[in-house]
Amino acid sequence: MDLKSARKDLGAGAVFVGFGLAFASTASTYEVGSGLRMGPGYFPLVLGGLLVLLGLAIAAKAFISPETGELGPVPWRAAVLLVAAILFFGFAIRGLGVVPTLFVSVLLAALAGPKMRPLPALVIATVLTAMSVGIFIYALQLPLPLLGPWVG
Amino acid sequence: MDFFSNLQLGFETALTPVNLLFCLIGVALGTAVGVLPGIGPTATMAMLLPITFGFDPVTSLIMLAGIYYGAQYGGSTTAILINLPGESSAAVTALDGHAMAKKGLAGKALAIAALGSFFAGTVGTLFVALFATPISRVALEFGPAEYFSLVVVGLVASIALASGSTLKALATIVLGLLLGTVGQDGTSGVPRFTFGQFELYEGLNFVSLAVGLFGVAEILRNLERGISRDVVVKKVEKLWLTREDFRRIRMPVLRGTGLGAALGVLPGAGHVLASFVSYSVEKRVSKHPEEFGKGAMAGVAGPESANNAAAQTAFIPLLTLGLPANSIMALLVGALIIQGITPGPGVITDEPELFWGLIVSFWIGNLFLVILNLPLIGLWVKMLKIPYRWLFPAIIAFATIGTYSIGLNNYFVYAIAFFGILGYVLIKLGCEPAPLLLGFILGPLLEEYLRRSLIISRGDATVFLTRPLSAALLAVAALALLVAVLPSVRRKREVVFEEEDG
């Protein structure tokens, strides 16, 4: 078998087995109960087990008839920047308020664009922050402070 | 109440200025995202959901539904003008629609698409109005065991029609079901999979899930290669059809509408299937099959009618059984629940204004779409020039602030990043993320029905097989699964979906 061509199936199998094990093992620490009285652990334990089986079946299929096709390029820089943009928003929104948080997040996101230089990214961040504040804070009246306690 | 007084109630609801305005906003936004590259109706609806929570339930649903069927129109516009279907169901339209555009007949192709869609949308709406009440009456007899089996059918059937590996789709659904259990258990109050974080007690939010899976993951995919589009057609002229044209598209439109209305009810990609089937039917019955692919009017008229009729009848399972046929309908289920309405057969009798108002709004929305797409076509062509480097940061901004505003919970925002990466990984490994959302939304329902059925049957699991209706439904699910893995059907399906990918 060509391991390279089976990467997609083996990878998918591993992801599902991993999630299945994590859910099933955690669920078994809750009260499982019986069919008549399903405890909180019952449903996720059954499904977690099922997911492990399905993951194994997908991985096994990789040895019989693998799904071919290249994985293709992965935009690592963009992935890191986008995740950073989203996490920063969640982390800072309470402390910094809408304007600074959104500005930094959009700036990070904009930098994920192909061949993006800092200056156009700043322009994009400024315009989109102003637009979002206009839509969400002024038009839709979301009760979020423009500036949070961290910046006074 | 009879049919006409129901319709009257619908018109009274849909024609209030607020509802008209949001219907217009919905279909306009839908057209925009149908036209714009790299953003689909699912992500848009997820981003706009938080905004609609403050609205009246009717208004909110009218707008959200408008985004969905509006996107079907917008998708055909790009298919015809630049050979890039904005929506998967428009892939067939691109074949002959773009060929017509290259011959200088872009205006005619757009007019056929818009008028065919309008006719089909109207008939599809009528279908929903006529069939919803009887179906919901049957469903009112359902007990928890029947509901459990019905949800199983919905989940399984959605894979049978999806592209790609059946095993992977099944696993994706189960993962979605599991993610749906995160948070406090409804019966025992025990927090599950929360890692002791109080913010996770209320569970993961379906908006985070949808925005991550369909918004962020899609951005990453687009950034792999970068999007560039050339608008071949700079100016669209001659939007009207001659009497001869009308004669030539009459039958294809009728056939497409019938096919679409019937196939749209199916779970999964009913509207995609409808447009493909319609195209092959038209090619087969045509006296000039050699014209297909080179700009045959029937090749635009049939599939366009089919996918728009299907877009309307896809609401039937949602409105009568509370069962979403695809990920977009699943979002609407979420929206209903947040509005305090339990989706199911009771909606028609308990919320007649909502039901009939929504149905009439479909028709009004389709009328708006004809106006938006024919006289105002120039506007959308200009919109195609919005560069992607502006578009995706805007998606991030809207997604984060919108999701945060739901519960002022920063874990909802962190979840977007998690699901964005998970969605991207799944796509990379050949798993469609749509079943995950379906599983996530239906998971809590499935657990609840299972619990209740087993309590009623005193823990006897055979109850699902001894109750005839439940057994019949499970048999349908088993059959659908069998069909999905049968080699002969697989091959045919692959042919259909290969064209879609191309």
mmCIF file of all heavy atoms in Angstrom, chain A residues 78-93 101 104-106 108-109, chain B residues 208 211-212 215-217 219-220 395-397 399-401 403-404 410-421:
data_model
loop_
_atom_site.group_PDB
_atom_site.id
_atom_site.type_symbol
_atom_site.label_atom_id
_atom_site.label_comp_id
_atom_site.label_asym_id
_atom_site.label_seq_id
_atom_site.Cartn_x
_atom_site.Cartn_y
_atom_site.Cartn_z
ATOM 1 N N ALA A 78 -1.683 32.214 7.095
ATOM 2 C CA ALA A 78 -3.047 32.733 7.183
ATOM 3 C C ALA A 78 -3.798 32.067 8.331
ATOM 4 O O ALA A 78 -4.513 32.736 9.087
ATOM 5 C CB ALA A 78 -3.778 32.493 5.865
ATOM 6 N N ALA A 79 -3.597 30.744 8.496
ATOM 7 C CA ALA A 79 -4.310 30.037 9.559
ATOM 8 C C ALA A 79 -3.925 30.606 10.922
ATOM 9 O O ALA A 79 -4.785 30.900 11.754
ATOM 10 C CB ALA A 79 -3.998 28.543 9.484
ATOM 11 N N VAL A 80 -2.611 30.799 11.130
ATOM 12 C CA VAL A 80 -2.145 31.330 12.417
ATOM 13 C C VAL A 80 -2.708 32.731 12.642
ATOM 14 O O VAL A 80 -3.222 33.060 13.725
ATOM 15 C CB VAL A 80 -0.593 31.344 12.466
ATOM 16 C CG1 VAL A 80 -0.103 32.108 13.696
ATOM 17 C CG2 VAL A 80 -0.058 29.923 12.466
ATOM 18 N N LEU A 81 -2.639 33.569 11.601
ATOM 19 C CA LEU A 81 -3.112 34.957 11.753
ATOM 20 C C LEU A 81 -4.620 35.015 12.028
ATOM 21 O O LEU A 81 -5.081 35.790 12.860
ATOM 22 C CB LEU A 81 -2.768 35.767 10.510
ATOM 23 C CG LEU A 81 -1.314 36.233 10.446
ATOM 24 C CD1 LEU A 81 -0.966 36.725 9.047
ATOM 25 C CD2 LEU A 81 -1.064 37.347 11.466
ATOM 26 N N LEU A 82 -5.394 34.186 11.310
ATOM 27 C CA LEU A 82 -6.851 34.218 11.505
ATOM 28 C C LEU A 82 -7.228 33.736 12.903
ATOM 29 O O LEU A 82 -8.068 34.340 13.573
ATOM 30 C CB LEU A 82 -7.561 33.354 10.457
ATOM 31 C CG LEU A 82 -7.610 33.903 9.028
ATOM 32 C CD1 LEU A 82 -8.426 32.983 8.140
ATOM 33 C CD2 LEU A 82 -8.212 35.301 9.002
ATOM 34 N N VAL A 83 -6.589 32.645 13.335
ATOM 35 C CA VAL A 83 -6.879 32.144 14.681
ATOM 36 C C VAL A 83 -6.492 33.196 15.709
ATOM 37 O O VAL A 83 -7.246 33.488 16.653
ATOM 38 C CB VAL A 83 -6.137 30.811 14.936
ATOM 39 C CG1 VAL A 83 -6.198 30.434 16.405
ATOM 40 C CG2 VAL A 83 -6.758 29.710 14.091
ATOM 41 N N ALA A 84 -5.325 33.826 15.513
ATOM 42 C CA ALA A 84 -4.883 34.877 16.438
ATOM 43 C C ALA A 84 -5.904 36.018 16.459
ATOM 44 O O ALA A 84 -6.255 36.529 17.534
ATOM 45 C CB ALA A 84 -3.516 35.401 16.022
ATOM 46 N N ALA A 85 -6.419 36.384 15.288
ATOM 47 C CA ALA A 85 -7.387 37.486 15.210
ATOM 48 C C ALA A 85 -8.632 37.156 16.030
ATOM 49 O O ALA A 85 -9.123 37.985 16.800
ATOM 50 C CB ALA A 85 -7.755 37.749 13.753
ATOM 51 N N ILE A 86 -9.126 35.922 15.885
ATOM 52 C CA ILE A 86 -10.369 35.537 16.567
ATOM 53 C C ILE A 86 -10.142 35.415 18.078
ATOM 54 O O ILE A 86 -10.915 35.930 18.880
ATOM 55 C CB ILE A 86 -10.910 34.206 15.993
ATOM 56 C CG1 ILE A 86 -11.293 34.388 14.531
ATOM 57 C CG2 ILE A 86 -12.110 33.720 16.785
ATOM 58 C CD1 ILE A 86 -11.534 33.092 13.793
ATOM 59 N N LEU A 87 -9.023 34.751 18.454
ATOM 60 C CA LEU A 87 -8.749 34.576 19.880
ATOM 61 C C LEU A 87 -8.522 35.934 20.548
ATOM 62 O O LEU A 87 -8.975 36.176 21.668
ATOM 63 C CB LEU A 87 -7.537 33.667 20.087
ATOM 64 C CG LEU A 87 -7.709 32.208 19.666
ATOM 65 C CD1 LEU A 87 -6.477 31.394 20.013
ATOM 66 C CD2 LEU A 87 -8.947 31.590 20.319
ATOM 67 N N PHE A 88 -7.823 36.833 19.846
ATOM 68 C CA PHE A 88 -7.588 38.152 20.435
ATOM 69 C C PHE A 88 -8.914 38.852 20.717
ATOM 70 O O PHE A 88 -9.099 39.465 21.765
ATOM 71 C CB PHE A 88 -6.724 39.015 19.503
ATOM 72 C CG PHE A 88 -6.475 40.389 20.066
ATOM 73 C CD1 PHE A 88 -5.473 40.591 21.001
ATOM 74 C CD2 PHE A 88 -7.257 41.475 19.682
ATOM 75 C CE1 PHE A 88 -5.264 41.854 21.551
ATOM 76 C CE2 PHE A 88 -7.052 42.733 20.237
ATOM 77 C CZ PHE A 88 -6.048 42.913 21.165
ATOM 78 N N PHE A 89 -9.838 38.731 19.779
ATOM 79 C CA PHE A 89 -11.136 39.383 19.983
ATOM 80 C C PHE A 89 -11.802 38.853 21.256
ATOM 81 O O PHE A 89 -12.249 39.621 22.104
ATOM 82 C CB PHE A 89 -12.049 39.154 18.774
ATOM 83 C CG PHE A 89 -13.353 39.897 18.862
ATOM 84 C CD1 PHE A 89 -13.502 41.132 18.245
ATOM 85 C CD2 PHE A 89 -14.430 39.374 19.571
ATOM 86 C CE1 PHE A 89 -14.701 41.825 18.342
ATOM 87 C CE2 PHE A 89 -15.623 40.063 19.677
ATOM 88 C CZ PHE A 89 -15.762 41.293 19.050
ATOM 89 N N GLY A 90 -11.837 37.516 21.380
ATOM 90 C CA GLY A 90 -12.479 36.923 22.551
ATOM 91 C C GLY A 90 -11.786 37.319 23.852
ATOM 92 O O GLY A 90 -12.428 37.579 24.863
ATOM 93 N N PHE A 91 -10.454 37.430 23.780
ATOM 94 C CA PHE A 91 -9.672 37.720 24.977
ATOM 95 C C PHE A 91 -9.798 39.186 25.390
ATOM 96 O O PHE A 91 -9.891 39.509 26.575
ATOM 97 C CB PHE A 91 -8.207 37.355 24.693
ATOM 98 C CG PHE A 91 -7.231 37.897 25.683
ATOM 99 C CD1 PHE A 91 -7.110 37.318 26.944
ATOM 100 C CD2 PHE A 91 -6.430 38.988 25.362
ATOM 101 C CE1 PHE A 91 -6.208 37.828 27.862
ATOM 102 C CE2 PHE A 91 -5.534 39.504 26.274
ATOM 103 C CZ PHE A 91 -5.421 38.923 27.533
ATOM 104 N N ALA A 92 -9.825 40.100 24.402
ATOM 105 C CA ALA A 92 -9.675 41.522 24.720
ATOM 106 C C ALA A 92 -10.971 42.314 24.743
ATOM 107 O O ALA A 92 -10.994 43.431 25.249
ATOM 108 C CB ALA A 92 -8.703 42.163 23.726
ATOM 109 N N ILE A 93 -12.063 41.735 24.203
ATOM 110 C CA ILE A 93 -13.253 42.564 24.002
ATOM 111 C C ILE A 93 -13.753 43.172 25.311
ATOM 112 O O ILE A 93 -14.154 44.333 25.356
ATOM 113 C CB ILE A 93 -14.374 41.749 23.284
ATOM 114 C CG1 ILE A 93 -15.629 42.591 23.066
ATOM 115 C CG2 ILE A 93 -14.756 40.487 24.026
ATOM 116 C CD1 ILE A 93 -15.507 43.594 21.982
ATOM 117 N N THR A 101 -10.246 46.560 20.022
ATOM 118 C CA THR A 101 -10.234 45.115 19.810
ATOM 119 C C THR A 101 -10.470 44.775 18.352
ATOM 120 O O THR A 101 -9.739 44.001 17.740
ATOM 121 C CB THR A 101 -11.335 44.439 20.657
ATOM 122 O OG1 THR A 101 -11.251 44.923 21.986
ATOM 123 C CG2 THR A 101 -11.182 42.950 20.653
ATOM 124 N N VAL A 104 -7.482 45.701 16.032
ATOM 125 C CA VAL A 104 -6.362 44.753 16.056
ATOM 126 C C VAL A 104 -6.750 43.447 15.357
ATOM 127 O O VAL A 104 -5.992 42.911 14.545
ATOM 128 C CB VAL A 104 -5.912 44.471 17.511
ATOM 129 C CG1 VAL A 104 -4.847 43.380 17.533
ATOM 130 C CG2 VAL A 104 -5.390 45.743 18.153
ATOM 131 N N SER A 105 -7.976 42.951 15.649
ATOM 132 C CA SER A 105 -8.404 41.678 15.044
ATOM 133 C C SER A 105 -8.474 41.780 13.527
ATOM 134 O O SER A 105 -8.001 40.895 12.818
ATOM 135 C CB SER A 105 -9.768 41.267 15.593
ATOM 136 O OG SER A 105 -9.626 40.783 16.898
ATOM 137 N N VAL A 106 -9.076 42.852 13.033
ATOM 138 C CA VAL A 106 -9.196 42.992 11.577
ATOM 139 C C VAL A 106 -7.824 43.169 10.947
ATOM 140 O O VAL A 106 -7.546 42.636 9.871
ATOM 141 C CB VAL A 106 -10.139 44.165 11.210
ATOM 142 C CG1 VAL A 106 -10.197 44.338 9.704
ATOM 143 C CG2 VAL A 106 -11.526 43.925 11.756
ATOM 144 N N LEU A 108 -4.975 41.906 12.029
ATOM 145 C CA LEU A 108 -4.373 40.574 11.978
ATOM 146 C C LEU A 108 -4.964 39.757 10.830
ATOM 147 O O LEU A 108 -4.244 39.104 10.079
ATOM 148 C CB LEU A 108 -4.603 39.835 13.307
ATOM 149 C CG LEU A 108 -3.765 40.294 14.502
ATOM 150 C CD1 LEU A 108 -4.288 39.656 15.782
ATOM 151 C CD2 LEU A 108 -2.300 39.927 14.285
ATOM 152 N N ALA A 109 -6.306 39.824 10.705
ATOM 153 C CA ALA A 109 -6.962 39.062 9.649
ATOM 154 C C ALA A 109 -6.515 39.559 8.282
ATOM 155 O O ALA A 109 -6.197 38.767 7.393
ATOM 156 C CB ALA A 109 -8.476 39.162 9.796
ATOM 157 N N SER B 208 -21.440 29.860 16.587
ATOM 158 C CA SER B 208 -19.976 29.685 16.532
ATOM 159 C C SER B 208 -19.624 28.544 15.595
ATOM 160 O O SER B 208 -18.705 28.639 14.781
ATOM 161 C CB SER B 208 -19.402 29.323 17.899
ATOM 162 O OG SER B 208 -19.938 30.082 18.923
ATOM 163 N N VAL B 211 -20.383 29.546 11.877
ATOM 164 C CA VAL B 211 -19.461 30.568 11.379
ATOM 165 C C VAL B 211 -18.066 29.976 11.206
ATOM 166 O O VAL B 211 -17.375 30.243 10.224
ATOM 167 C CB VAL B 211 -19.431 31.779 12.343
ATOM 168 C CG1 VAL B 211 -18.291 32.699 12.002
ATOM 169 C CG2 VAL B 211 -20.740 32.528 12.291
ATOM 170 N N GLY B 212 -17.658 29.130 12.152
ATOM 171 C CA GLY B 212 -16.347 28.503 12.041
ATOM 172 C C GLY B 212 -16.278 27.542 10.867
ATOM 173 O O GLY B 212 -15.393 27.629 10.027
ATOM 174 N N GLY B 215 -17.603 29.697 7.552
ATOM 175 C CA GLY B 215 -16.973 30.989 7.300
ATOM 176 C C GLY B 215 -15.457 30.870 7.306
ATOM 177 O O GLY B 215 -14.791 30.991 6.270
ATOM 178 N N VAL B 216 -14.889 30.582 8.491
ATOM 179 C CA VAL B 216 -13.436 30.585 8.642
ATOM 180 C C VAL B 216 -12.773 29.490 7.805
ATOM 181 O O VAL B 216 -11.792 29.733 7.104
ATOM 182 C CB VAL B 216 -13.051 30.444 10.133
ATOM 183 C CG1 VAL B 216 -11.550 30.392 10.292
ATOM 184 C CG2 VAL B 216 -13.626 31.602 10.934
ATOM 185 N N ALA B 217 -13.328 28.270 7.857
ATOM 186 C CA ALA B 217 -12.727 27.165 7.096
ATOM 187 C C ALA B 217 -12.714 27.488 5.601
ATOM 188 O O ALA B 217 -11.764 27.190 4.886
ATOM 189 C CB ALA B 217 -13.500 25.876 7.349
ATOM 190 N N ILE B 219 -12.603 30.508 4.266
ATOM 191 C CA ILE B 219 -11.581 31.533 4.017
ATOM 192 C C ILE B 219 -10.223 30.861 3.835
ATOM 193 O O ILE B 219 -9.479 31.154 2.903
ATOM 194 C CB ILE B 219 -11.503 32.537 5.189
ATOM 195 C CG1 ILE B 219 -12.786 33.360 5.267
ATOM 196 C CG2 ILE B 219 -10.303 33.459 5.023
ATOM 197 C CD1 ILE B 219 -12.822 34.305 6.443
ATOM 198 N N LEU B 220 -9.917 29.915 4.745
ATOM 199 C CA LEU B 220 -8.627 29.233 4.657
ATOM 200 C C LEU B 220 -8.484 28.509 3.333
ATOM 201 O O LEU B 220 -7.434 28.514 2.708
ATOM 202 C CB LEU B 220 -8.470 28.249 5.819
ATOM 203 C CG LEU B 220 -8.198 28.905 7.171
ATOM 204 C CD1 LEU B 220 -8.239 27.888 8.287
ATOM 205 C CD2 LEU B 220 -6.844 29.598 7.141
ATOM 206 N N ILE B 395 -15.532 39.473 6.936
ATOM 207 C CA ILE B 395 -16.218 38.284 7.452
ATOM 208 C C ILE B 395 -15.772 38.026 8.886
ATOM 209 O O ILE B 395 -16.583 37.759 9.775
ATOM 210 C CB ILE B 395 -15.926 37.050 6.561
ATOM 211 C CG1 ILE B 395 -16.503 37.272 5.163
ATOM 212 C CG2 ILE B 395 -16.503 35.784 7.178
ATOM 213 C CD1 ILE B 395 -16.162 36.177 4.182
ATOM 214 N N ILE B 396 -14.451 38.130 9.132
ATOM 215 C CA ILE B 396 -13.932 37.910 10.490
ATOM 216 C C ILE B 396 -14.534 38.928 11.457
ATOM 217 O O ILE B 396 -14.985 38.580 12.558
ATOM 218 C CB ILE B 396 -12.386 38.009 10.494
ATOM 219 C CG1 ILE B 396 -11.774 36.910 9.632
ATOM 220 C CG2 ILE B 396 -11.848 37.940 11.922
ATOM 221 C CD1 ILE B 396 -11.814 35.536 10.229
ATOM 222 N N ALA B 397 -14.572 40.196 11.040
ATOM 223 C CA ALA B 397 -15.108 41.238 11.925
ATOM 224 C C ALA B 397 -16.565 40.946 12.271
ATOM 225 O O ALA B 397 -16.960 40.952 13.441
ATOM 226 C CB ALA B 397 -14.978 42.605 11.254
ATOM 227 N N ALA B 399 -18.211 38.122 12.024
ATOM 228 C CA ALA B 399 -18.380 36.850 12.724
ATOM 229 C C ALA B 399 -18.082 37.015 14.200
ATOM 230 O O ALA B 399 -18.854 36.568 15.056
ATOM 231 C CB ALA B 399 -17.471 35.794 12.105
ATOM 232 N N THR B 400 -16.961 37.670 14.525
ATOM 233 C CA THR B 400 -16.578 37.767 15.934
ATOM 234 C C THR B 400 -17.558 38.643 16.714
ATOM 235 O O THR B 400 -18.091 38.228 17.744
ATOM 236 C CB THR B 400 -15.153 38.340 16.094
ATOM 237 O OG1 THR B 400 -15.041 39.502 15.289
ATOM 238 C CG2 THR B 400 -14.115 37.333 15.719
ATOM 239 N N ILE B 401 -17.835 39.833 16.194
ATOM 240 C CA ILE B 401 -18.677 40.745 16.962
ATOM 241 C C ILE B 401 -20.100 40.204 17.043
ATOM 242 O O ILE B 401 -20.745 40.263 18.098
ATOM 243 C CB ILE B 401 -18.607 42.181 16.392
ATOM 244 C CG1 ILE B 401 -19.225 43.175 17.365
ATOM 245 C CG2 ILE B 401 -19.273 42.294 15.067
ATOM 246 C CD1 ILE B 401 -18.956 44.610 16.997
ATOM 247 N N THR B 403 -21.108 36.991 16.942
ATOM 248 C CA THR B 403 -21.175 35.835 17.834
ATOM 249 C C THR B 403 -21.044 36.270 19.290
ATOM 250 O O THR B 403 -21.740 35.767 20.168
ATOM 251 C CB THR B 403 -20.065 34.830 17.486
ATOM 252 O OG1 THR B 403 -20.074 34.621 16.085
ATOM 253 C CG2 THR B 403 -20.277 33.516 18.182
ATOM 254 N N TYR B 404 -20.142 37.236 19.524
ATOM 255 C CA TYR B 404 -19.971 37.705 20.901
ATOM 256 C C TYR B 404 -21.262 38.319 21.432
ATOM 257 O O TYR B 404 -21.623 38.152 22.597
ATOM 258 C CB TYR B 404 -18.826 38.728 20.968
ATOM 259 C CG TYR B 404 -18.580 39.236 22.373
ATOM 260 C CD1 TYR B 404 -18.059 38.391 23.347
ATOM 261 C CD2 TYR B 404 -18.882 40.544 22.716
ATOM 262 C CE1 TYR B 404 -17.854 38.842 24.636
ATOM 263 C CE2 TYR B 404 -18.677 41.009 24.010
ATOM 264 C CZ TYR B 404 -18.158 40.150 24.969
ATOM 265 O OH TYR B 404 -17.964 40.597 26.253
ATOM 266 N N ASN B 410 -17.213 35.133 25.857
ATOM 267 C CA ASN B 410 -16.047 35.068 24.964
ATOM 268 C C ASN B 410 -15.696 33.649 24.534
ATOM 269 O O ASN B 410 -14.992 33.462 23.559
ATOM 270 C CB ASN B 410 -14.814 35.798 25.513
ATOM 271 C CG ASN B 410 -14.700 35.692 27.003
ATOM 272 O OD1 ASN B 410 -15.482 34.976 27.648
ATOM 273 N ND2 ASN B 410 -13.745 36.371 27.586
ATOM 274 N N TYR B 411 -16.264 32.634 25.226
ATOM 275 C CA TYR B 411 -16.035 31.261 24.762
ATOM 276 C C TYR B 411 -16.725 31.007 23.430
ATOM 277 O O TYR B 411 -16.280 30.191 22.643
ATOM 278 C CB TYR B 411 -16.487 30.257 25.826
ATOM 279 C CG TYR B 411 -15.429 30.035 26.865
ATOM 280 C CD1 TYR B 411 -15.127 31.037 27.774
ATOM 281 C CD2 TYR B 411 -14.694 28.861 26.897
ATOM 282 C CE1 TYR B 411 -14.127 30.859 28.707
ATOM 283 C CE2 TYR B 411 -13.695 28.676 27.832
ATOM 284 C CZ TYR B 411 -13.416 29.677 28.739
ATOM 285 O OH TYR B 411 -12.419 29.511 29.655
ATOM 286 N N PHE B 412 -17.828 31.702 23.176
ATOM 287 C CA PHE B 412 -18.479 31.590 21.869
ATOM 288 C C PHE B 412 -17.511 32.023 20.768
ATOM 289 O O PHE B 412 -17.510 31.471 19.675
ATOM 290 C CB PHE B 412 -19.727 32.475 21.812
ATOM 291 C CG PHE B 412 -20.900 31.951 22.607
ATOM 292 C CD1 PHE B 412 -20.813 30.779 23.328
ATOM 293 C CD2 PHE B 412 -22.114 32.640 22.612
ATOM 294 C CE1 PHE B 412 -21.897 30.295 24.054
ATOM 295 C CE2 PHE B 412 -23.203 32.168 23.331
ATOM 296 C CZ PHE B 412 -23.084 30.996 24.054
ATOM 297 N N VAL B 413 -16.699 33.054 21.082
ATOM 298 C CA VAL B 413 -15.745 33.546 20.086
ATOM 299 C C VAL B 413 -14.586 32.561 19.926
ATOM 300 O O VAL B 413 -14.195 32.230 18.799
ATOM 301 C CB VAL B 413 -15.224 34.941 20.477
ATOM 302 C CG1 VAL B 413 -14.231 35.449 19.434
ATOM 303 C CG2 VAL B 413 -16.381 35.919 20.630
ATOM 304 N N TYR B 414 -14.043 32.065 21.057
ATOM 305 C CA TYR B 414 -12.966 31.074 20.952
ATOM 306 C C TYR B 414 -13.417 29.870 20.131
ATOM 307 O O TYR B 414 -12.642 29.297 19.367
ATOM 308 C CB TYR B 414 -12.538 30.588 22.351
ATOM 309 C CG TYR B 414 -11.995 31.673 23.258
ATOM 310 C CD1 TYR B 414 -12.197 31.639 24.628
ATOM 311 C CD2 TYR B 414 -11.258 32.731 22.729
ATOM 312 C CE1 TYR B 414 -11.698 32.630 25.461
ATOM 313 C CE2 TYR B 414 -10.764 33.734 23.547
ATOM 314 C CZ TYR B 414 -10.986 33.683 24.916
ATOM 315 O OH TYR B 414 -10.494 34.656 25.721
ATOM 316 N N ALA B 415 -14.703 29.495 20.310
ATOM 317 C CA ALA B 415 -15.210 28.317 19.592
ATOM 318 C C ALA B 415 -15.156 28.509 18.084
ATOM 319 O O ALA B 415 -14.982 27.544 17.347
ATOM 320 C CB ALA B 415 -16.642 28.010 20.035
ATOM 321 N N ILE B 416 -15.291 29.770 17.611
ATOM 322 C CA ILE B 416 -15.215 30.010 16.156
ATOM 323 C C ILE B 416 -13.864 29.536 15.639
ATOM 324 O O ILE B 416 -13.775 28.858 14.610
ATOM 325 C CB ILE B 416 -15.358 31.502 15.817
ATOM 326 C CG1 ILE B 416 -16.663 32.066 16.353
ATOM 327 C CG2 ILE B 416 -15.279 31.713 14.305
ATOM 328 C CD1 ILE B 416 -16.771 33.559 16.113
ATOM 329 N N ALA B 417 -12.796 29.910 16.374
ATOM 330 C CA ALA B 417 -11.455 29.533 15.928
ATOM 331 C C ALA B 417 -11.321 28.009 15.928
ATOM 332 O O ALA B 417 -10.815 27.413 14.972
ATOM 333 C CB ALA B 417 -10.399 30.155 16.836
ATOM 334 N N PHE B 418 -11.815 27.370 17.000
ATOM 335 C CA PHE B 418 -11.743 25.917 17.095
ATOM 336 C C PHE B 418 -12.443 25.253 15.909
ATOM 337 O O PHE B 418 -11.890 24.379 15.245
ATOM 338 C CB PHE B 418 -12.355 25.451 18.424
ATOM 339 C CG PHE B 418 -12.429 23.966 18.579
ATOM 340 C CD1 PHE B 418 -11.300 23.231 18.901
ATOM 341 C CD2 PHE B 418 -13.628 23.295 18.382
ATOM 342 C CE1 PHE B 418 -11.363 21.855 19.033
ATOM 343 C CE2 PHE B 418 -13.701 21.915 18.506
ATOM 344 C CZ PHE B 418 -12.558 21.204 18.837
ATOM 345 N N PHE B 419 -13.682 25.694 15.643
ATOM 346 C CA PHE B 419 -14.430 25.051 14.570
ATOM 347 C C PHE B 419 -13.924 25.438 13.186
ATOM 348 O O PHE B 419 -14.078 24.679 12.234
ATOM 349 C CB PHE B 419 -15.922 25.339 14.708
ATOM 350 C CG PHE B 419 -16.539 24.577 15.837
ATOM 351 C CD1 PHE B 419 -17.016 25.226 16.952
ATOM 352 C CD2 PHE B 419 -16.583 23.203 15.792
ATOM 353 C CE1 PHE B 419 -17.552 24.515 18.015
ATOM 354 C CE2 PHE B 419 -17.109 22.477 16.838
ATOM 355 C CZ PHE B 419 -17.591 23.128 17.954
ATOM 356 N N GLY B 420 -13.323 26.614 13.089
ATOM 357 C CA GLY B 420 -12.702 26.998 11.813
ATOM 358 C C GLY B 420 -11.603 26.015 11.454
ATOM 359 O O GLY B 420 -11.535 25.491 10.334
ATOM 360 N N ILE B 421 -10.733 25.738 12.438
ATOM 361 C CA ILE B 421 -9.622 24.814 12.192
ATOM 362 C C ILE B 421 -10.152 23.397 11.983
ATOM 363 O O ILE B 421 -9.762 22.704 11.039
ATOM 364 C CB ILE B 421 -8.618 24.840 13.375
ATOM 365 C CG1 ILE B 421 -7.981 26.226 13.490
ATOM 366 C CG2 ILE B 421 -7.551 23.778 13.207
ATOM 367 C CD1 ILE B 421 -7.193 26.652 12.276
#
